[in-house]
């Protein structure tokens, strides 16, 4: 169902305290209140003066004005998040798209001294990407650079929350993966997925990872299918940007080389070989703290 995660971090990047709140499908004002709840708790835990608040939020983010133009999965539209937080906490506030923040984290703290251009595809509740060109984040003129989650990959596919059908998020997000696994567990009660969870509704990404590691064929098929769809997105990225490295971040990193290989194979089949063969698909070195 997704979660809001926060932390108290010093200027060297060391984490002192963590706070997490499950979203449970909340959106709009309820999701905003949950964000306040996380920050309130962190502010109360601070034992030294705070110098600022940084937010990585899903959605189209006007970073100049600190406004969330549209966060599909949170139901936020034209939300002046920076102003609301500055008024409430009286601290400097920095707001970015979460995938842009993830790309910046990887470029800054990862081992990428050999590249100036980098794309990070983050797969969690939704799917998005952050793009660095010549060592600088690329937002696009309308702040939508990297919004690959709403690239249509299935003609006449499932309806997406954005209003279109067959978006990448409907088939390759962690949420889509879990929904598909739950349906398959109903249909195949003898599968390891069914054994590992009390009931299909209890299946999570962790359950699928456990089944996958044990060689469960259902889980393997799910991961390969997800990889194929992410490979379509990677082919689009490579065809437009011709970057040497694309990293996969988020909860699906647990599927390791199998996911990476499936993405790479599909990317090679769907883009100019001479270009795509120069692009490495790799797993992000950052864990769940990548946006923080």
């Amino acid at each position: 169902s997704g979660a809001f995660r926060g932390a108290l971090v010093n200027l060297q990047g060391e984490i002192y305290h963590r706070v997490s709140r499950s979203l449970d499908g909340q959106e709009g004002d309820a999701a905003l209140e949950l964000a306040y709840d996380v920050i309130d708790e962190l502010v109360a835990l601070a034992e030294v003066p705070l110098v600022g608040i940084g937010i990585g939020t899903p959605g189209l983010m006007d970073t100049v004005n600190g406004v969330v133009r549209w966060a599909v999965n949170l139901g936020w539209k034209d939300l002046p998040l920076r102003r609301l937080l500055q008024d409430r906490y009286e601290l400097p506030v920095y707001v970015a798209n979460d995938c842009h923040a993830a790309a910046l984290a990887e470029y800054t703290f990862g081992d990428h001294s050999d590249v100036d251009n980098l794309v990070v595809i983050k797969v969690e509740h939704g799917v998005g990407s952050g793009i660095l060109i010549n060592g600088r984040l690329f937002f696009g003129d309308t702040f939508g650079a990297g919004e690959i989650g709403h690239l249509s990959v299935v003609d006449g596919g499932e309806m997406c929350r954005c209003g279109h059908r067959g978006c990448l998020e409907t088939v390759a997000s962690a949420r889509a993966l879990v929904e598909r696994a739950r349906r398959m567990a109903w249909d195949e009660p003898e599968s390891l997925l069914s054994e590992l969870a009390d009931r299909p509704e209890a299946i999570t990404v962790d359950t699928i990872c456990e089944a996958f590691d044990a060689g469960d064929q259902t889980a393997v098929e799910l991961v390969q299918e997800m990889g194929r769809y992410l490979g379509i997105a990677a082919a689009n990225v490579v065809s437009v940007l011709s970057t040497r490295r694309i990293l996969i971040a988020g909860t699906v990193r647990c599927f390791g080389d199998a996911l990476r290989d499936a993405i790479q194979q599909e990317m090679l089949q769907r883009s100019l070989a001479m270009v795509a063969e120069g692009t490495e698909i790799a797993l992000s070195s950052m864990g769940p703290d990548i946006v923080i």
Side-chain angles (χ1 to χ4, degrees):
S1 62
F4 281 170
R5 290 190 289 268
L8 277 181
V9 188
N10 72 10
L11 296 180
Q12 280 73 48
E14 296 168 323
I15 292 177
Y16 289 141
H17 297 288
R18 299 172 191 274
V19 172
S20 182
R21 292 282 189 283
S22 177
L23 259 173
D24 289 329
Q26 293 179 91
E27 54 184 74
D29 289 343
L32 181 60
E33 287 298 326
L34 200 65
Y36 289 156
D37 193 27
V38 168
I39 301 169
D40 286 349
E41 184 168 342
L42 289 169
V43 168
L45 287 166
E47 294 167 358
V48 293
L50 294 172
V51 295
I53 297 172
I55 303 280
T57 174
L60 282 176
M61 184 71 227
D62 176 347
T63 48
V64 175
N65 298 300
V67 175
V68 183
R69 292 179 62 203
W70 191 23
V72 176
N73 294 320
L74 292 175
W76 287 348
K77 213 160 193 176
D78 296 322
L79 181 74
L81 190 58
R82 185 169 66 200
R83 180 176 58 76
L84 290 171
L85 294 175
Q86 281 179 339
D87 289 351
R88 183 180 173 101
Y89 298 103
E90 297 181 337
L91 286 166
V93 175
Y94 303 87
V95 188
N97 168 275
D98 60 341
C99 295
H100 292 179
L104 196 58
E106 187 65 62
Y107 187 77
T108 307
F109 299 107
D111 183 17
H112 303 293
S113 56
D114 57 331
V115 294
D116 292 320
N117 306 315
L118 185 68
V119 176
V120 174
I121 297 177
K122 190 165 80 69
V123 184
E124 299 221 5
H125 193 60
V127 180
S129 66
I131 301 164
L132 281 127
I133 296 175
N134 295 326
R136 294 180 66 86
L137 273 175
F138 180 68
F139 302 108
D141 294 337
T142 54
F143 302 106
E147 278 292 320
I148 60 171
H150 300 288
L151 184 72
S152 182
V153 294
V154 185
D155 287 341
E158 186 184 326
M159 180 65 78
C160 179
R161 289 190 57 156
C162 77
H164 292 160
R165 286 190 174 276
C167 291
L168 184 65
E169 276 196 8
T170 66
V171 287
S173 63
R175 181 184 58 210
L177 179 74
V178 166
E179 284 173 0
R180 188 151 161 64
R182 287 172 179 173
R183 286 198 297 271
M184 291 176 84
W186 274 113
D187 296 338
E188 301 166 27
E190 72 289 347
S191 74
L192 185 57
L193 274 175
S194 298
E195 286 179 30
L196 290 171
D198 298 339
R199 58 195 191 289
E201 296 78 29
I203 290 173
T204 65
V205 173
D206 288 343
T207 315
I208 303 166
C209 283
E210 196 178 336
F212 176 81
D213 287 341
D216 179 63
Q217 196 53 39
T218 303
V220 170
E221 285 171 18
L222 284 168
V223 170
Q224 288 175 339
E225 183 182 54
M226 172 186 248
R228 285 194 293 273
Y229 284 122
L230 290 171
I232 296 173
N236 279 272
V237 168
V238 163
S239 299
V240 174
L241 296 174
S242 187
T243 52
R244 209 162 64 216
R245 187 167 302 153
I246 296 175
L247 298 174
I248 308 300
T251 48
V252 300
R253 286 187 324 129
C254 66
F255 300 119
D257 291 347
L259 179 64
R260 185 199 64 197
D261 292 348
I263 296 169
Q264 187 116 30
Q265 190 176 343
E266 194 70 20
M267 177 188 74
L268 287 168
Q269 289 175 357
R270 289 180 177 265
S271 48
L272 190 65
M274 191 175 283
V275 176
E277 281 167 3
T279 297
E280 171 199 14
I281 301 287
L283 301 173
S284 164
S285 60
M286 308 270 151
D289 291 328
I290 188 165
V291 175
I292 288 171

